[in-house]
């Protein structure tokens, strides 16, 4: 029951719909964060360092899409130093893996240096897109599935306070550190979505094993899942008429849905342009 509940929470939320039907940097990033967190939980249970190889590979892949997984590891390190397990930080696999990840970044860092470190300018971009603390919280609740944020809060409270989850407590504090950091730094709530699976899973296990108070238990009922799924589908999948997605002056269009319109015409136009390229040049022609 707990596995089904956590899986449904992932499946119906707006964030999953938003990044799950397209390929973006966030698509890779969220999967990598979730993988690393799963590995850390498994390591706490089994103390098998071979599991950490998976975390290293996931981190290296994530760094080819976004650099934000660095914040996850920084929060994990601080939390593990404060509440344990400190043994995690000294594992040779992680130390060697850190060198491997940095080595995999060399081409990207060289490109950044050659072009004036444009990645550093992203902080200003996020600040310009920020709606302040209130907007951050509202957006976080929406992306987290509205009422399903209650299950997330139960999971976080269990990680921080319940003796049953003491060996995973550092992950709860990691979530708190990251939430505060991105809130203060005018970050985006989507940067935290890699932790959603952890919090939903712990909340679902807590609900299965110990039950829940009547005032919040109904927030993870079948009707709630159905309503949130409907909102997510209508808001983030290309199911409405294309006229509602295409850019129209003065109207709030959905850019993600707009990018799903007109692909046959784009392919035809690209093919027509490619056909005009002289034959000797075609093997060296790049389509972006």
């Amino acid at each position: 029951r707990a596995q089904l509940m956590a899986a449904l929470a992932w499946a119906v939320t707006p964030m999953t719909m938003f990044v799950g039907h397209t390929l973006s940097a966030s698509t890779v990033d969220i999967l990598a964060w979730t993988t690393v967190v799963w590995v850390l939980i498994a390591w706490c249970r089994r103390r098998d360092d071979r599991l950490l190889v998976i975390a290293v590979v996931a981190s290296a892949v994530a760094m080819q899409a976004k650099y934000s997984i660095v914040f996850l590891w920084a929060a994990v390190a601080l939390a593990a130093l404060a509440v344990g397990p400190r043994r995690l930080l000294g594992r040779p696999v992680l130390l060697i893996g850190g060198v491997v990840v940095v080595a995999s970044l060399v081409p990207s860092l060289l490109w950044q240096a050659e072009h004036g470190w444009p990645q550093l300018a992203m902080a200003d971009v996020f600040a310009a897109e920020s709606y302040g603390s209130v907007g951050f919280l509202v957006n976080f609740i929406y992306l987290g599935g509205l009422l399903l944020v209650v299950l997330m809060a139960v999971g976080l409270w269990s990680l921080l306070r319940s003796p049953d989850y003491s060996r995973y407590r550092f992950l709860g504090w990691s979530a708190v550190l990251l939430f505060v950091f991105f809130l203060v730094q005018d970050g985006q709530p989507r940067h935290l979505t890699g932790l959603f699976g952890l919090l939903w899973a712990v909340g679902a296990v807590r609900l299965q094993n110990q039950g829940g108070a009547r005032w919040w238990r109904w927030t993870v009922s079948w009707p709630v899942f159905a309503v949130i799924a409907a909102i997510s589908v209508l808001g983030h999948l290309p199911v409405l008429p294309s006229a509602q997605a295409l850019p129209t002056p003065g109207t709030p269009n959905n850019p993600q849905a707009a990018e799903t319109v007109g692909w046959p015409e784009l392919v035809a136009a690209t093919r027509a342009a490619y056909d005009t390229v002289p034959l000797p040049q075609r093997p060296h022609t790049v389509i972006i």
Side-chain angles (χ1 to χ4, degrees), residues 29 32-37 40 59 67-78 171 174-175 178 182 194-195:
D29 197 52
W33 277 52
T34 306
T35 302
V36 169
V37 171
L40 292 175
S59 300
Y67 298 150
S68 61
I69 201 166
V70 170
F71 298 116
L72 172 62
W73 280 110
V76 166
L78 289 173
L171 291 173
S174 298
L178 288 165
F182 287 121
L195 296 173

Side-chain angles (χ1 to χ4, degrees), residues 6 9-11 13-20 24-37 66 68-69 72 136 139-146 149 152 174-175 178-179 182 187-201:
W10 252 127
T13 54
M15 191 63 198
T16 302
M17 302 289 181
F18 184 64
V19 303
S24 67
S26 294
T27 311
V28 179
D29 197 52
I30 293 172
L31 177 60
W33 277 52
T34 306
T35 302
V36 169
V37 171
K66 294 175 71 172
S68 61
I69 201 166
L72 172 62
F136 182 95
N139 200 10
F140 177 86
I141 292 172
Y142 175 73
L143 294 178
L146 303 170
V149 172
M152 204 180 297
S174 298
L178 288 165
F179 184 90
F182 287 121
Q188 298 292 327
R190 65 175 179 269
H191 294 151
L192 295 165
T193 49
L195 296 173
F196 284 4
L198 163 71
L199 301 179
W200 279 322

Side-chain angles (χ1 to χ4, degrees), residues 102-168:
V102 171
S104 72
L105 275 180
V106 169
S108 176
L109 294 176
L110 291 175
W111 186 92
Q112 289 281 336
E114 184 179 349
H115 293 81
W117 300 99
Q119 183 65 33
L120 298 179
M122 288 303 296
D124 295 332
V125 173
F126 291 141
E129 295 177 347
S130 172
Y131 294 100
S133 300
V134 175
F136 182 95
L137 294 173
V138 171
N139 200 10
F140 177 86
I141 292 172
Y142 175 73
L143 294 178
L146 303 170
L147 293 174
L148 294 180
V149 172
V150 175
L151 183 64
M152 204 180 297
V154 172
L156 179 61
W157 180 257
S158 300
L159 284 172
L160 297 179
R161 304 294 298 174
S162 174
D164 297 335
Y165 303 95
S166 59
R167 57 182 167 178
Y168 313 120

